[in-house]
């Protein structure tokens, strides 16, 4: 029932030796392309570290975006709760109306049969 099948895939290759990794690393440093720094609109080098003021502005903007998203999430949760209550009320009202219709129909049948 549970027979061993022949291995249909090739065995995994052996991991590189430490010497091979060091050689690859040396070749990478020798042959990697040089990055030419470009200047953006504000006069900062795009390849360089951003100025601390720029970083703080982006950080504060990100925090504000996060706060806004949290407020939106809270608002959506409140709306969801209100919608669930409204749905429940509508279902209850619908059930009451159906019962009232059944009651009225029963009274009409009784009146017609007399």
């Amino acid at each position: 029932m549970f027979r061993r099948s022949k291995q249909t895939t090739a065995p995994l290759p052996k991991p590189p030796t430490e010497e091979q990794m060091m050689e690859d690393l040396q070749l990478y440093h020798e042959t990697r392309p040089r990055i030419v720094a470009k200047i953006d609109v504000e006069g900062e080098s795009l390849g360089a570290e951003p100025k601390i003021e720029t970083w703080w502005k982006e950080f504060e903007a990100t925090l504000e975006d996060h706060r806004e998203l949290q407020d939106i999430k809270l608002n959506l949760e409140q709306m969801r709760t209100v919608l669930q209550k409204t749905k429940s009320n509508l279902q209850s009202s619908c059930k009451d109306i159906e019962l009232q219709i059944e009651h009225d129909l029963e009274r009409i049948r009784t009146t017609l049969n007399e």
Side-chain angles (χ1 to χ4, degrees):
M1 181 173 159
F2 295 105
R3 294 184 191 173
R4 283 196 163 195
S5 63
K6 294 182 181 178
Q7 189 174 8
T8 58
T9 59
L12 295 174
K14 293 181 181 178
T17 64
E18 184 178 345
E19 294 163 357
Q20 290 171 328
M21 287 189 280
M22 293 303 290
E23 183 181 331
D24 287 346
L25 188 60
Q26 182 64 32
L27 285 174
Y28 169 76
H29 286 297
E30 291 173 1
T31 60
R32 74 176 175 183
R34 299 287 175 212
I35 298 174
V36 178
K38 295 181 182 177
I39 307 298
D40 69 358
V41 177
E42 296 175 358
E44 284 187 29
S45 173
L46 294 176
E49 289 290 322
K51 291 182 182 175
I52 193 73
E53 296 86 14
T54 305
W55 186 90
W56 273 110
K57 286 178 188 176
E58 290 179 17
F59 177 75
E60 289 170 351
T62 302
L63 279 180
E64 185 59 31
D65 290 344
H66 181 71
R67 285 186 201 108
E68 288 176 12
L69 285 172
Q70 292 291 3
D71 291 342
I72 290 170
K73 180 182 175 186
L74 180 62
N75 192 15
L76 286 173
E77 287 295 326
Q78 291 171 344
M79 287 178 167
R80 189 174 135 258
T81 303
V82 169
L83 282 173
Q84 286 176 339
K85 287 180 183 177
T86 304
K87 178 184 175 185
S88 178
N89 289 340
L90 285 172
Q91 287 174 337
S92 176
S93 295
C94 182
K95 198 66 152 169
D96 291 343
I97 291 170
E98 287 174 349
L99 289 173
Q100 185 64 40
I101 289 171
E102 286 296 322
H103 181 262
D104 290 346
L105 283 174
E106 189 63 37
R107 285 180 48 204
I108 290 171
R109 283 188 202 114
T110 305
T111 304
L112 290 175
N113 287 335
E114 291 181 354

